[in-house]
Amino acid sequence: LALLYAPASSGDRPYRLVVLMHGAGGSARQGLDLLLPVADAHHLLLLAPQAAASSWDLIAEGFGTDVRRIDGLLESVFAGYPVQDVLLGGFSDGASYALSLGFTNGDLVAGMVAFSPGFSAPLVTHGRPRVFVSHGVDDRVLPVDVCSRRLVPRLRELGYDVTYREFPGGHEVPEEIRTAAADWLTPHHPHPTG
């Protein structure tokens, strides 16, 4: 159902939990790998669910099976680890899903990391979570012009704090983007929870 990665505990220091959604046809392992190389250095607890179908429920028929699964996974993680913040992240369809789920639950989610998203379709919006978006200028799967270059200005108009990084390349997450996202995830000032 999911993969979990926890860096070694450092006393009672709470983790930032990042729930990572894989792209269409992908696997929980591919979700986990999005931030695994930077998890230890940034003290990130990573949870990578597997979609029930080839992509996330929202893409096919609206929130349902996957949301219930993620809720159950979160309960078990909260029972086992000290968590300071919950953030959502993903790649491609997983990035679209992370944004949609994050805005719908913005009172619970501190922020979202969207690597090459196609869209954001929250049912309702709550709170003001922070957003990090990256996109390759040569992306042929989800072209930047019709995806992030439309999405990011719209989010900013709605009052969201959006960090946006374009990079030379295609439908991928280059090392420098992964590092920039991890730095963004762990700001030097504490965020209140709740």
Side-chain angles (χ1 to χ4, degrees), residues 77-178:
V77 170
F78 292 148
Y81 298 90
V83 172
Q84 169 186 342
D85 282 329
V86 177
L87 300 111
L88 304 180
F91 172 68
S92 192
D93 272 9
S96 299
Y97 194 65
L99 288 172
S100 302
L101 201 55
F103 289 126
T104 301
N105 296 282
D107 45 349
L108 307 171
V109 173
M112 291 88 79
V113 174
F115 298 115
S116 307
F119 65 90
S120 170
L123 302 181
V124 290
T125 58
H126 294 285
R128 282 276 176 255
R130 299 183 311 132
V131 186
F132 178 97
V133 177
S134 68
H135 217 115
V137 294
D138 300 315
D139 193 327
R140 303 211 185 300
V141 179
L142 293 171
V144 68
D145 278 338
V146 296
C147 295
S148 291
R149 285 182 183 166
R150 287 187 184 171
L151 176 66
V152 169
R154 200 161 64 233
L155 294 177
R156 288 180 172 150
E157 284 168 17
L158 292 170
Y160 289 100
D161 175 3
V162 183
T163 298
Y164 180 50
R165 295 280 303 270
E166 286 186 2
F167 58 89
H171 201 57
E172 60 189 316
V173 184
E175 191 60 43
E176 70 271 14
I177 293 296
R178 178 181 288 126

Side-chain angles (χ1 to χ4, degrees), residues 7-22:
S9 175
S10 55
D12 57 357
R13 180 177 165 210
Y15 293 99
R16 280 204 158 79
L17 170 62
V18 189
V19 183
L20 293 166
M21 272 55 106
H22 60 75

Side-chain angles (χ1 to χ4, degrees), residues 3-42:
L3 293 173
L4 180 72
Y5 178 78
S9 175
S10 55
D12 57 357
R13 180 177 165 210
Y15 293 99
R16 280 204 158 79
L17 170 62
V18 189
V19 183
L20 293 166
M21 272 55 106
H22 60 75
S27 66
R29 178 74 219 194
Q30 289 167 316
L32 193 71
D33 286 347
L34 291 171
L35 291 176
L36 189 60
V38 293
D40 286 331
H42 292 271

Side-chain angles (χ1 to χ4, degrees), residues 1-3 22 25-29 48-54 56 66 69 73:
L1 291 183
L3 293 173
H22 60 75
S27 66
R29 178 74 219 194
Q50 178 69 48
S54 67
W56 301 94
D66 290 323
R69 181 181 291 179
L73 292 167

